[in-house]
Amino acid sequence: MIDFTAMILTVGPELWLVAIALIGVLVGATLKDRFNSVSIKFGALALFAAAAFSLMNYEGGEAFNGLVRTNTFVNFAKFVSYVLAGFALLTSEGFLKRHGTIRYEYSLLILLASFGMGMILSAADLMTLYMGVETLSLSSYVLAAFHRDSAKASEAGLKYFVLGALASGMLLYGASLVYGFSGSTEYAVIAAADPSIGMMFGMVLMIVGLAFKVSAAPMHIWTPDVYEGAPTPVVAFFASAPKMASMVVFANVMFTMFGDVIDQWQLIICIIAGLSMIVGSLGALTQTNIKRLLGYSSIANMGYALVAVAAGPELGAGPLLVFLTLYVIASLGLFMGVLAMRRKGGMVEGINELGGLMRKRPVLAIALSILIFSMAGLPPFGGFFGKWEVLSAGVEAGLMPVVIILVLASVVSLGYYLRLIKIMWFDEPTERFEAVDGPVTITVLLAALIAGILFLFFISALSGWAGTAALGLAG
Amino acid sequence: MAVIAFYLIAAVVLVSALSVIMARNPVHSVLWLILAFFSSAGLLVLIGAEFLAMLLVVVYVGAVAVLFLFVVMMLDVDFVELKRGTLRYWPFAVLVGIIFAAEIVLASVIGTADMETNFDASPGAETNAEAIGQVMYTQYLLLFQMAGIILLVAMVGAIVLTLRHRPETKRQNIAKQTSRRRSDAYELKDPTPGQGI
C-alpha cells in the first residue's frame, strides 16, 4: 500500500512544491493578470516553506518502492537550493515589471524547476534522475527565453534547448547502458553490480551529460551565451539554486552509484575539473559583458567544486557542500548586484559602465567588492574557507596536479576580479544610476553580509553540518 | 533464424538512424526516422514485447507522420525540385517498402519462440501489456506522475513563448450572442414614400 508517512519524510518538499504549482495554475487561470505580482511572493513563500520542510525531515527516508531515497547529504543541498531559489524569485519582480513581462507563469516555472531540482536530489533510481533532470531543464529552457521579444533571449533559449537536449540524450544513453549491463536502474543494485566495460562506458556518457548540466568544460559552451542573453533574474536563478542542486547530484551519482569504482572515474573528473578551471579563468579575462564574465567565473568555480568530487566520498563530500554553499550565496549576490544597477534606457551590463560606482552608490559598491573578494577566495572573506576546504580535500586525496591547477587558476582569476574592483573604485563615473527596488538591494546586502562577516559565526558550524551531512551518504 | 532476423533488423535500424542525420532533405530524414522506429518495433517483437512494439508504431510513427506534415508546411521545401526527383527515386522507395514488409513477415513468422534473451519481456504476467499494467500505476506511480508534470511544463512553456493577446482580433462572445434580443438587432421604420430614411 501507499505509505504516506514515508512519502512525506522523503519527498515532502517536492510534493508541496508541485501542489503549490498546480494550485498556481488554477488560480492563475481564474485571476489572470491580477495574479502576476502576487504569484511571485506566493511562490517565494512556498519555496521558503519547502526549505523549512527539508530541514524538518533532515534525516530523510525511502519511498515509492525505492525510486527516491534521501539522506542528510541531499537534504542539506535541498535546503540551500530552495532558499536561494526563493530569493531569486522574490527579487525578480521589479525587473520583470519594468520590462513589462511580469506574468504568473514565471513563478510557476521557477516552482516546477525547483521541483525538478528536488527530485534529482532525492533520486535513488536512474529513471527518477532522468525525469527530474528533464523537469528542471525544460523549465530552464523556457525561463531562458522568457523575454520572447528579445532576440538575445530567444537565441539563449534556443541554444540552451538544443545543447541541453543533446546532453539529455547522452545522459539517457549512458543510463540505458548502465541499466543494460547491471540489470537494474536502482542506484544500490548498480553499485553492487559487477563493473563491466559496458557499464563504465555508460558511466562516462552519464558524466558527460551531468557535466553539461553543471556547465563544466568541455561541455560549457552554452554557458556564456545563455548567461548573457537570458533575463538577469533568470540568470541569477541559474547561477545559484540549480548549480548547487546539479553539482550535489553529480557527486551523489558518482559517490553512491559508482563509489566502488572511483579509480575508474577519478581521472576523468580531474581532467574535467582542470579544463573547467583553465577555460573559466582564462576565458573571463577578455570579457566586457559582466554577465558573460560571471558565466566564465561560474565555469571556473564548477571546476573547483569538481576537485572535491574527485577527492571521493570520504574526503570530498563535506568540503563540496561548504564550498558550494558559500559560492552560490556569493553568486546570487553578484547577480543581484547586476540587477541593482540600472541607468537610463536599460540595465548596466558592460563592465566599464560600472565606473565610479564607489562615489555614486558606496554601500552597493562595498557590498559588491566583498562579494567579488569572496568569490575570488581572498582570505578574510567566506569564499576563501570554501576554497581552502576543497584544496585540502584535494591534497589529502593526493590529486596534486589538479590542486596546482586550482591554485594557478585562482591567481589568474584574480586578474579579472580585481579589474572589476578597480573600475568600481577608481575609474571616472559614467552615468547616473537609477534607484532600484528594495528586495534586490536587501539581497545584495544580505549576501555580502554573509560572505563578509556572518560566515565567521557559522563557518565552523557549517563545516560541522556539512561533515555530518556527508556522513548520511555513507549510511 | 531468430539471430539472423535480429542482425538484419538491427542493421536496418543503424543504417536508417545514420541516414536520418545524413540526409540532406529534411523530408527524407523524417522518412528514415519512421523506418528506424518501425525497425525498432520489429526488434521489440523479437524479444516478445509485442505491446511495446505496437505502442512504438502507434505513438512514434503516428506522431512522426504529423511531424512530417509540419515539416512540409513550415520548411521552405522546393516541391518542384522534390517532384522531379520522385520518378528517379522509385527503386529506393520500393526498397524501403520491401524492407518494411520483410520485417513484418520476419518478426511475425519467427515470433519469440527460439529467441534467447537474458530477460523476461513479460515478468510475472501472461502478456506484455499485463506486465506493464501491473507496475505502471503502483510501483512506478511517481514516475508516471512526473511524466505528467513534464507535459504540464511543456504546455506552460509553449503558452508562455507563443501566446499573444491581440486586442484587434475579434473573438466570439457567447454570452453577448445569446443575450441579444430581437429589438437590439433591428427596428421597424415607416418611411414616407419618396423621402427615404
Side-chain angles (χ1 to χ4, degrees), chain A residues 18 22 64-65 67-68 103 105 109 112 115 119 127-128 131-132 134-135 138-139 142 145-146 148-149, chain B residues 118 138-144 146-147 149-150 152-154 156-165:
Chain A
V18 84
L22 291 177
F64 291 108
N65 305 304
L67 286 176
V68 285
R103 297 168 73 185
E105 283 96 341
L109 285 169
L112 289 168
F115 164 72
M119 285 323 288
M127 290 189 280
T128 324
M131 293 298 232
E134 280 307 287
T135 318
L138 280 173
S139 318
V142 180
F146 200 78
R148 57 185 186 187
D149 294 324
Chain B
N118 55 355
T138 53
Q139 195 175 351
Y140 298 125
L141 172 73
L142 178 74
L143 299 175
F144 185 76
M146 280 179 79
I149 297 294
I150 292 176
L152 178 74
V153 170
V156 171
I159 291 172
V160 165
L161 294 180
T162 55
L163 181 69
R164 280 166 209 274
H165 289 291

Side-chain angles (χ1 to χ4, degrees), chain B residues 86-163:
Chain B
T86 318
L87 223 64
R88 209 146 39 89
Y89 292 131
W90 72 267
F92 169 74
V94 169
L95 184 73
V96 172
I98 289 173
I99 296 173
F100 264 115
E103 276 183 357
I104 297 171
V105 172
L106 263 179
S108 51
V109 167
I110 292 157
T112 64
D114 54 348
M115 190 72 194
E116 263 186 59
T117 49
N118 55 355
F119 63 93
D120 189 0
S122 320
E126 276 295 305
T127 63
N128 195 220
E130 210 179 322
I132 292 174
Q134 278 175 356
V135 290
M136 189 156 177
Y137 304 107
T138 53
Q139 195 175 351
Y140 298 125
L141 172 73
L142 178 74
L143 299 175
F144 185 76
Q145 296 292 342
M146 280 179 79
I149 297 294
I150 292 176
L151 289 179
L152 178 74
V153 170
M155 204 167 87
V156 171
I159 291 172
V160 165
L161 294 180
T162 55
L163 181 69

Side-chain angles (χ1 to χ4, degrees), chain A residues 160-173:
Chain A
Y160 197 11
F161 174 66
V162 173
L163 292 173
L166 185 70
S168 289
M170 295 272 194
L171 182 67
L172 194 58
Y173 187 35

